Amino acid sequence: MRNIGWKTRGSCANHPKPDLWHSDSPGNGWEVRLAKTICADCPVIQECAEYSITNEEPWGIWAGITQNTRRRMIRAARRTA
């Protein structure tokens, strides 16, 4: 079981528009920018980033990192490993 208790302390946890973190598509640029801005000041951004990369989350914005950027980061990490 994954330990994700930190998620309840995230800036996104009680945000009135939770869909922002699932708006990672070209037509939703303003939503992606808003989600990234909110993530930037999040108290659990490090845990979120580690979780999303370690678990290769395929969708959404985690720690201000879009799915496309996360995929590139994962591929780069595999090449250097």
Side-chain angles (χ1 to χ4, degrees), residues 21-62:
W21 288 270
H22 301 286
S23 301
D24 192 6
S25 66
N28 296 327
W30 71 271
E31 290 180 331
V32 171
R33 286 190 302 277
L34 180 56
K36 286 180 171 187
T37 299
I38 294 166
C39 288
D41 293 323
C42 183
V44 295
I45 192 169
Q46 186 63 41
E47 293 94 332
C48 186
E50 289 173 7
Y51 175 86
S52 68
I53 293 168
T54 300
N55 293 289
E56 298 185 17
E57 281 295 331
W59 308 110
I61 298 166
W62 292 74

